[in-house]
Amino acid sequence: MDSSRRAVESYWRSRMIDGATSDEDKVTPVYKLEEICELLRSSHVSIVKEVSEFILKRLDHKSPIVKQKALRLIKYAVGKSGVEFRREMQRNSVAVRQLIHYKGQLDPLKGDAPNKAVRETAREAISAIFAEDNNTSKPYPADDFNKRIEGFGNTNFEMPPNEKKSFLSDVVGIGSASIKQGISSFTQGPSLR
């Protein structure tokens, strides 16, 4: 009973990957990519490995559209799916690196454009796979933590010395400018006579 449930779940996951990397010449909706990312974030390491194998199998497909969608999925999911998926993609980066020099059949209508898109997306995916995680690698500067929010409610806020104006003079200036503009447009307008 338990093995059949696992087989059904595995089939469901493979169908999810197949749906996101279909052979249609349409962009994969972001909600499908987010579903896969959520699955990868919340799943056990063995499931992450299984899903990454499904994605890597899609890179072997003959269609450049499927290859590009799989590469786009890798690029998207590496940043949002956690460390395990990134490690799995780094281990299997050879399959992605091979597509940097991909030369497929020329399309009768589009020519080499789909193959070029595969090559470009493969470069982007490789750089995403091996990019450093921005959240953990850069420590925050100490002065940003000690700085208070300037504006409403902050009693320590000081205006820059060259811009010290009173609020009332600001409002009067705005009001007088709009009154002057109204009067000038009234006097310049055509007469009603």
Side-chain angles (χ1 to χ4, degrees):
M1 180 75 173
D2 192 40
S3 64
S4 63
R5 191 184 96 229
R6 278 186 277 175
V8 168
E9 288 175 353
S10 176
Y11 176 75
W12 174 77
R13 288 188 289 269
S14 72
R15 296 303 304 156
M16 187 189 315
I17 300 300
D18 289 346
T21 60
S22 65
D23 198 12
E24 299 174 3
D25 199 9
K26 296 179 184 175
V27 176
T28 305
V30 175
Y31 76 89
K32 286 186 178 183
L33 300 176
E34 284 294 332
E35 282 180 0
I36 295 169
C37 290
E38 180 60 33
L39 172 74
L40 291 168
R41 271 193 304 267
S42 62
S43 297
H44 188 265
V45 178
S46 62
I47 294 174
V48 172
K49 188 171 185 161
E50 176 186 336
V51 170
S52 59
E53 287 173 4
F54 289 146
I55 295 170
L56 292 169
K57 281 181 188 175
R58 297 301 281 175
L59 292 177
D60 294 334
H61 198 275
K62 65 177 182 172
S63 169
I65 295 170
V66 174
K67 290 178 188 290
Q68 185 188 12
K69 285 184 176 183
L71 289 167
R72 194 177 294 147
L73 171 61
I74 291 170
K75 181 179 120 183
Y76 186 85
V78 159
K80 295 191 172 200
S81 297
V83 180
E84 293 301 324
F85 182 71
R86 181 185 295 266
R87 286 182 188 150
E88 203 56 45
M89 287 297 113
Q90 286 175 348
R91 283 186 203 116
N92 298 303
S93 66
V94 174
V96 179
R97 284 181 198 262
Q98 289 174 347
L99 293 176
I100 290 176
H101 306 290
Y102 177 72
K103 293 186 190 312
Q105 295 291 326
L106 294 178
D107 189 88
L109 296 174
K110 298 177 185 173
D112 195 43
N115 301 329
K116 184 179 179 187
V118 169
R119 292 189 293 268
E120 290 172 357
T121 311
R123 282 187 194 93
E124 293 169 4
I126 284 292
S127 65
I129 288 171
F130 291 104
E132 291 183 20
D133 193 10
N134 293 335
N135 298 336
T136 58
S137 64
K138 293 181 183 176
Y140 292 104
D143 0 324
D144 289 348
F145 287 124
N146 298 331
K147 213 178 208 186
R148 288 191 58 173
I149 297 175
E150 296 178 349
F152 294 112
N154 185 353
T155 56
N156 296 333
F157 178 70
E158 291 183 26
M159 292 274 296
N162 59 352
E163 294 183 35
K164 288 196 176 189
K165 295 179 183 176
S166 71
F167 177 72
L168 188 59
S169 68
D170 229 12
V171 171
V172 169
I174 292 172
S176 64
S178 62
I179 290 171
K180 287 177 187 174
Q181 182 184 6
I183 291 172
S184 67
S185 66
F186 181 72
T187 58
Q188 292 175 357
S191 65
L192 297 173
R193 294 183 199 169

